Amino acid sequence: MREKMNRNFSEWYNDIIEKAEILDIRYPVKGLYVWFPYGFKVRKYVLDVIRELLDKTGHQEALFPLLIPEHEFAKEAQHIKGFEDEVFWVTHGGREPLNVKLALRPTSETAIYPMFLVWVRSHADLPIKIYQIVNVFRYETKHTRPLIRLREITTFKEAHTVHESMESAEAQIEEAIQIYKNFFDELGVPYSVIRRPDWDKFPGAVYTMAFDTIFPDGRTLQIGTVHNLGQNFAKTFNIKFEDSEGNQQYAYQTCYGISDRVIAALLVTHGDDHGLCIPPKVAPIQCVIIPIWYKNKKDEVDREVVKLKEELKDLRVHVDDRDIRPGSKYFDWEIKGVPLRIELGPKDIEEGKVTVVRRDTMERTTISRENVKESVKRILASITDNLKARAWDEFKKKIYEATSLENARKIIKEGRGVVRLGWCGDEACGKIIEDEIDADFLGIVDEKKDGVCLGCGRTSRNMIQVGRSY
Amino acid sequence: MREKMNRNFSEWYNDIIEKAEILDIRYPVKGLYVWFPYGFKVRKYVLDVIRELLDKTGHQEALFPLLIPEHEFAKEAQHIKGFEDEVFWVTHGGREPLNVKLALRPTSETAIYPMFLVWVRSHADLPIKIYQIVNVFRYETKHTRPLIRLREITTFKEAHTVHESMESAEAQIEEAIQIYKNFFDELGVPYSVIRRPDWDKFPGAVYTMAFDTIFPDGRTLQIGTVHNLGQNFAKTFNIKFEDSEGNQQYAYQTCYGISDRVIAALLVTHGDDHGLCIPPKVAPIQCVIIPIWYKNKKDEVDREVVKLKEELKDLRVHVDDRDIRPGSKYFDWEIKGVPLRIELGPKDIEEGKVTVVRRDTMERTTISRENVKESVKRILASITDNLKARAWDEFKKKIYEATSLENARKIIKEGRGVVRLGWCGDEACGKIIEDEIDADFLGIVDEKKDGVCLGCGRTSRNMIQVGRSY
């Protein structure tokens, strides 16, 4: 069911984003899109999942301004260097030029850390664990793509933490990785956790851990990042605390983020040639009921549909009573990825059954009208499990171990996925590997594995992942 | 309990915004503020209320881009005239000037209506009722003030609707007014519904209805507006539909919005010299439990507190187990406006009671430990009712009927509130009234009332409201 999708992924993607009413791509500025109400609901349920995970691990939601004055934005040398080419600048208010140029946040370290300067006083204030969900801006000059490469990232969840020691910051990195694992597991989106090489870490970080998934065309998509900032920003923004012995010390910080790309990954991971298949947890409609009207039985069917809907009221149920053929309705809801369809006609009523069609397998069965709620919940749970298992199966098939650079190059050129290989740790070898394979050095996936560096032939203790990334 | 507040309202306000941890006002750009986690939660619960009201009346939430290209923004002549002095402009991406300047939305008509152009085809598509909750920007040159006059309005709920007839648009205006009435009633915030004069309507609207509340200093705050746009924008943006007879017609539109000011009104309406008093519906903490520890009874008290918290788990309950004196805890939660405090000590346990203190009246009583959940819910409901009734009482006392311009001028000068008086309908008389009273012509509150125009002495059929507005 993924033939068309695999053959021309880009076409499938652009098509489905619009047809399933996720985003309208016709907004008159490059790289900016409009969330349709249906897409907005998917976004809402996805955000509910991450909010719950963050809240229950002691993170507090806050909200910081969008506009960052140039002098704050430029404080951290690596950071400004990393972002200066992609920042939008506000230079005028009304008809007057501003005294101080204002950056549209591309990320909020430089908006938040001046506040940490005033918030952090003593070790008793630590740790601080806050997050916000905001829009951020990047002046992308490359080809833009809905949810993937945007000029306005409409959904940027960024968490920022402050700690009294590197150990505490490290523990926070572990917690953040676990939160994101749980998050992607809830969405059934498979991932590798990868330590980015030094030359590709977040500007200003000590190191960066990333979550990458793999798309049907074999390219990888970074869907989450976790950064240990050490004391780098604390020193720049002068964030100090008094430790238990009364000494002033620079704080340790971490930050971690996810974006609209999570939703791209969700849609692509479970989609197929018929359209989307949205996991029940985040589906705007978990179950659509289609009345099958026959001549003089319409009223009877409608009465039964009302009863059925009432019984299923704990779920997000929609009755499609449009005056069009059932087949057209099936088609629409398959595109939109509603996980379960229930058809209810005179024959079903007579037999005390309902007909159900799972979106993941397109399997059509009948279930007893009695205990329909429990049956539907069981099927939805089974869909959730199946989507996740299937996605991981497919994901694993796209990860290859390369025995030579040539072999790796071939796998990647054919769009089959990513390759893993040994690396000694030298940047020079990293560049050789990138050049020879003609792909991106994504980073270390396993620090302990023995092997041979394919760049120089020396012994390697790093297993790295290489692929073409979005 | 509102002596200090009434004596120096501005001081009270700035103080409480920071001390109750609503907003941090120390962000290094004028007119931009940071939502503390506590304030953010108030905002969240307030937004839950408006979302519920909009969703159940068939509005759909969507999300449109922040950046509006200059050519779209400037299309509607009245609209651009109304906003051109207060728009922030993005002129650069990276180090390059942009080809097309981009406005930071001050409101989203010009971002949304180009999409309505492609969405609206036939009368069958109508009505469209969408809303979004976003940040908008105004280059305020006047004195800025948290939640009231901002450069980044962080919370702007704007609804936009499209209709096939003026009647349908009028009905929508009625629905919108009712939604806002319900909303402010839920928050216990009193209001007048006022038709703004033509010279003060929304730029591009046929007419504007506004919700004004009155602050302790007698000044009014506009907390919501509802605009009938007629066909003005439809003609500019070429939004046409095919009617049931196959003719192309321009659509009719309305829009209505509320902002951060709603939260200012909420805090001010119920606050007093001790701090905030947040209505239970939107209180981040509805009930705070303070354990009263006595020497060797600490464990016993703690065990009972755990049980009590469990029994109250349907509510938003917080146990303050900080190692400080109970009095300091009372003080903190009074500032933050937690509606109900429960104190629980050995004596209470012994007597099978708990001590409760209502924030609205500061009344201290004991209630039986049995059925504590029902009792607490009853008290919270009583607090809700009392807050609302008290607020309306106070509000009504601030509305005067003026018998002369001199009399009106005196009332307003003394900061006692607003005045109502007759007006013939001529703009010239309106200006005379404004000048003579030295206040703002807020608009018509009652279209049918007979009277005498205080501008010219002729008969008037309009009762207007005049006051000093924020």
Side-chain angles (χ1 to χ4, degrees), chain A residues 24 67 85 87 91 94-95 119, chain B residues 24 27 85 87 91 94-95 119:
Chain A
D24 195 322
L67 301 173
D85 285 337
V87 170
T91 59
R95 278 168 284 194
W119 290 0
Chain B
D24 196 321
Y27 189 77
D85 286 337
V87 170
T91 59
R95 278 168 285 195
W119 290 0

Side-chain angles (χ1 to χ4, degrees), chain B residues 145-179:
Chain B
R145 197 185 289 268
L147 301 176
I148 293 176
R149 190 170 294 282
L150 306 160
R151 288 191 166 179
E152 177 177 8
I153 297 166
T154 61
T155 318
F156 188 61
K157 189 289 298 165
E158 47 180 331
H160 297 265
T161 69
V162 191
H163 307 267
E164 38 178 326
S165 67
M166 192 59 168
E167 293 67 47
S168 171
E170 290 286 0
Q172 193 56 45
I173 295 291
E174 287 308 311
E175 181 183 89
I177 289 172
Q178 191 55 52
I179 288 168

Side-chain angles (χ1 to χ4, degrees), chain A residues 10 30 51 62 83 98-99 113 121 137 227 235 256 289 350 417:
Chain A
S10 254
K30 173 186 158 86
R51 277 196 168 104
F83 284 103
L98 298 175
N99 291 331
Y113 300 169
R121 284 283 161 267
F137 294 82
H227 314 291
K235 285 179 180 166
Y256 30 104
I289 302 174
E350 207 171 286

Side-chain angles (χ1 to χ4, degrees), chain A residues 24 27 35 37 40 61-67 84-85 87-92 94-95 111 115 119 137 152, chain B residues 24 27 34-35 37 40 61-67 84-85 87-92 94-95 111 115 119 137 152:
Chain A
D24 195 322
Y27 190 76
W35 283 95
F40 190 84
E61 191 166 0
L63 187 56
F64 294 79
L66 170 71
L67 301 173
E84 67 188 342
D85 285 337
V87 170
F88 282 105
W89 290 101
V90 177
T91 59
H92 286 69
R95 278 168 284 194
M115 301 313 297
W119 290 0
F137 294 82
E152 176 176 10
Chain B
D24 196 321
Y27 189 77
V34 174
W35 283 94
F40 190 84
E61 191 166 0
L63 187 56
F64 294 80
L66 170 71
L67 301 173
E84 67 188 342
D85 286 337
V87 170
F88 282 105
W89 289 102
V90 178
T91 59
H92 286 71
R95 278 168 285 195
M115 302 313 297
W119 290 0
F137 294 81
E152 177 177 8

Side-chain angles (χ1 to χ4, degrees), chain B residues 4 10-21 335:
Chain B
K4 247 169 47 189
S10 255
E11 190 180 293
W12 178 91
Y13 183 76
N14 292 336
D15 205 45
I16 201 66
I17 288 288
E18 182 107 40
K19 282 209 184 121
E21 296 191 341
I335 289 179

Side-chain angles (χ1 to χ4, degrees), chain B residues 295-328:
Chain B
K295 303 160 204 156
N296 55 351
K297 301 279 180 71
K298 183 169 184 306
D299 289 353
E300 188 190 342
V301 168
D302 285 343
R303 271 196 304 276
E304 196 56 33
V305 162
V306 168
K307 271 196 248 163
L308 180 61
K309 191 186 173 189
E310 175 61 23
E311 276 174 61
L312 298 177
K313 70 180 173 196
D314 295 350
L315 302 170
R316 296 191 286 268
V317 175
H318 175 71
V319 174
D320 186 350
D321 56 6
R322 289 178 297 167
D323 192 16
I324 56 175
R325 288 182 316 101
S328 305

Side-chain angles (χ1 to χ4, degrees), chain B residues 412-423:
Chain B
I412 286 177
K413 196 178 171 194
E414 289 169 0
R416 286 154 63 193
V418 300
V419 290
R420 293 186 169 184
L421 48 92
W423 176 54

